[in-house]
Amino acid sequence: MSKSSTIAPAPAAQAPAAQAPAAQVPGQAGSVPAPVAAPRMLKQRRRRPGLIALSVALIAAGGLSGAVLYAASGERAAVVVVSRDVPVGSLIAKEDLGQASVALDPAVKSVKASEAERLVGQRAAVDLRAGNLLSPAQVTDKTLVGPGDQVVGVSVKPSQLPATKLTPGQRVLVVSTPDPDAAATDKPVPATPKTLAATVIAVGAPAVGTGNSVIDVAVPAKDGPGLAARVATGNIALIMDQRGGN
């Protein structure tokens, strides 16, 4: 009897080792994975203490300057104001002036309230309006009567004056008017009336009942006597001379 032979089983087939994925060729299916960028090394900024201190100092200086300007703009001062209207050339009385506490720009010229007393007795160089601040240039201590002038009082009726109120310092023309009795005596009437330039010094109040008023005018001394004689006749009139007026 023959011996049975034992056949050993064949070794199991080993699984193929995993292989790396083949590189993709351009034009073939699939995409090449994007390369991973290497992390960047950030530089740490170096602090500059000097620059920081300078910035802080500039900010502080700006704030201080603003505070100083604000305080200066809010500083109030006592100044002189006009209490009532004063025509140009008129004497300034104590009642014409008042005081006010205001905050002014340094560029605005004003008169301190402590100097109000010295303004009394001076003249208004311009028309002063009530409620306005008074500036030094609006007041003058110059007299309206110049050297070599004479002051003559001119008495006139309302019809011999312009309707516009005359004020001291204003220039006028004193005009000789025709004598109403000249026609009866056949006296020739001059074609051009005689005129005389004068400066108003003072304006009197109209008389009750007649309305007549006396206007003081300054004229050269050589013309004073002649003007006084003409005023005595009553044949005169006053005209405002805008060429030399205010």
Side-chain angles (χ1 to χ4, degrees):
M1 183 171 148
S2 58
K3 295 182 179 180
S4 59
S5 57
T6 303
I7 301 174
Q14 297 182 354
Q19 296 181 359
Q24 297 293 330
V25 179
Q28 295 183 352
S31 60
V32 178
V36 179
R40 292 186 301 173
M41 298 298 292
L42 297 178
K43 290 184 179 181
Q44 186 176 5
R45 293 185 177 180
R46 184 176 56 183
R47 294 183 178 180
R48 299 180 180 179
L51 184 59
I52 296 176
L54 178 60
S55 300
V56 173
L58 291 176
I59 294 174
L64 180 60
S65 300
V68 171
L69 289 176
Y70 178 80
S73 62
E75 186 177 354
R76 307 180 76 84
V79 297
V80 177
V81 296
V82 182
S83 299
R84 58 187 183 183
D85 292 349
V86 181
V88 58
S90 300
L91 292 175
I92 297 175
K94 186 177 181 179
E95 294 75 19
D96 298 330
L97 307 177
Q99 297 183 12
S101 179
V102 295
L104 293 177
D105 188 280
V108 178
K109 303 300 181 182
S110 61
V111 179
K112 295 180 180 179
S114 59
E115 301 177 359
E117 195 66 28
R118 70 173 181 82
L119 301 177
V120 177
Q122 297 192 37
R123 295 186 181 275
V126 297
D127 287 330
L128 304 180
R129 301 301 180 189
N132 291 347
L133 292 177
L134 187 67
S135 67
Q138 294 177 321
V139 179
T140 180
D141 56 0
K142 295 181 179 179
T143 179
L144 296 178
V145 182
D149 286 351
Q150 290 183 342
V151 178
V152 179
V154 180
S155 177
V156 290
K157 302 175 183 179
S159 59
Q160 296 171 309
L161 286 171
T164 302
K165 184 178 179 181
L166 296 177
T167 57
Q170 200 160 33
R171 298 288 293 174
V172 296
L173 290 178
V174 182
V175 182
S176 296
T177 57
D179 184 355
D181 298 330
T185 59
D186 294 332
K187 290 182 180 180
V189 178
T192 302
K194 185 178 180 179
T195 61
L196 177 64
T199 302
V200 177
I201 302 301
V203 180
V208 178
T210 63
N212 295 353
S213 57
V214 176
I215 313 297
D216 287 350
V217 298
V219 295
K222 62 182 180 62
D223 298 320
L227 176 60
R230 291 162 56 191
V231 170
T233 66
N235 301 324
I236 58 171
L238 295 183
I239 299 177
M240 293 177 61
D241 187 4
Q242 294 297 339
R243 294 170 300 173
N246 47 47

